[in-house]
Amino acid sequence: WNGGNLDNDNSGSMVYTRVEFAGAAAILNVELNSYSLYAVGRSTRFEYNQAVRGLDDQFEWFGGTVDSRYLVSYEAGDDHFDAAEGHRGRHQYLIALQTGPRVSPRPGNPGSLSGEQNGFEIDGCGSAAGTCAAGFSSTPYSMPVFANFTVIGPGAGVLPVRAGGDGGVGLLARRGTGGVFMNGVIGRWPEAGISLFDSTSTYLRLADDSLNIRNVLSID
């Protein structure tokens, strides 16, 4: 779903939908998300949508300003909510639940399960080889708002946990992202409830008061 380069782009409406078992891959490590929104603008309506057992991310925003409400993510193959590339949308009333082992790709699908699954994975830019080529403080910064959310993991011994803190995390903020995360509950993530990664650039956003985490309860 691509909205171009206009903040006020109207790409229509997507409401009351459910996507199950997404994630066919043309080649390894190019799995399809359940919902992918590329530069979609704020005049678009995106709410009351559910993702179930996708092989890759359940909801992912690449840039754009689209707002969303009432999103449900159940049993993700990778991240439940993922944003990058300067995303500045506002998202409210989100539920994510991971209860057990993930569904593996069907025979013949070259896709694979992620080794760094998280509840939220919020990046400032995409990758060192791509949009982060100028460093993790590349602009535009991601500045999303996530409010009124509950993101529950499966507890210990179910998901892969990567040394260094960028896998098995309830809320991972990295690669120089900013944003606001407020009024939420994060529970049962095996590595950490909250992790600020790529500390030099991400902590700059924190020091500039551009990264705020408020009224978020983290539970083992």
Side-chain angles (χ1 to χ4, degrees):
W1 203 7
N2 189 323
N5 59 4
L6 300 175
D7 281 355
N8 291 323
D9 155 71
N10 183 344
S11 289
S13 299
M14 181 172 287
V15 297
Y16 295 106
T17 67
R18 175 175 170 138
V19 176
E20 298 181 334
F21 305 107
I27 58 175
L28 184 63
N29 296 324
V30 188
E31 297 83 11
L32 300 177
N33 300 317
S34 296
Y35 294 90
S36 296
L37 294 92
Y38 295 86
V40 175
R42 64 171 61 96
S43 295
T44 303
R45 185 184 179 197
F46 187 76
E47 55 189 18
Y48 301 103
N49 296 317
Q50 182 177 20
V52 179
R53 292 189 182 277
L55 178 59
D56 201 54
D57 299 326
Q58 302 273 63
F59 295 90
E60 184 159 10
W61 297 269
F62 297 92
T65 56
V66 63
D67 299 331
S68 63
R69 298 188 303 165
Y70 306 111
L71 304 184
V72 177
S73 175
Y74 179 65
E75 307 292 24
D78 193 5
D79 308 314
H80 288 271
F81 304 107
D82 191 323
E85 313 289 7
H87 177 60
R88 291 172 288 129
R90 300 167 297 178
H91 312 284
Q92 190 175 26
Y93 309 126
L94 314 179
I95 294 176
L97 177 63
Q98 194 81 28
T99 66
R102 297 170 292 169
V103 175
S104 296
R106 69 173 60 184
N109 185 338
S112 64
L113 291 173
S114 171
E116 54 172 43
Q117 187 196 22
N118 301 293
F120 289 100
E121 185 175 286
I122 312 301
D123 293 331
C125 45
S127 67
T131 55
C132 294
F136 289 147
S137 286
S138 300
T139 56
Y141 301 139
S142 293
M143 295 291 293
V145 176
F146 290 93
N148 305 102
F149 55 82
T150 299
V151 179
I152 305 299
V158 176
L159 300 179
V161 176
R162 287 169 41 128
D166 64 343
V169 178
L171 167 55
L172 176 66
R174 65 182 187 179
R175 296 177 178 166
T177 189
V180 176
F181 304 85
M182 61 186 299
N183 301 338
V185 176
I186 296 171
R188 294 178 55 81
W189 289 91
E191 174 65 17
I194 299 171
S195 176
L196 304 185
F197 209 67
D198 303 310
S199 58
T200 299
S201 49
T202 306
Y203 273 92
L204 283 175
R205 305 291 87 74
L206 191 68
D208 292 342
D209 200 29
S210 297
L211 176 59
N212 290 276
I213 301 172
R214 299 183 178 182
N215 299 326
V216 175
L217 177 63
S218 180
I219 305 169
D220 291 337

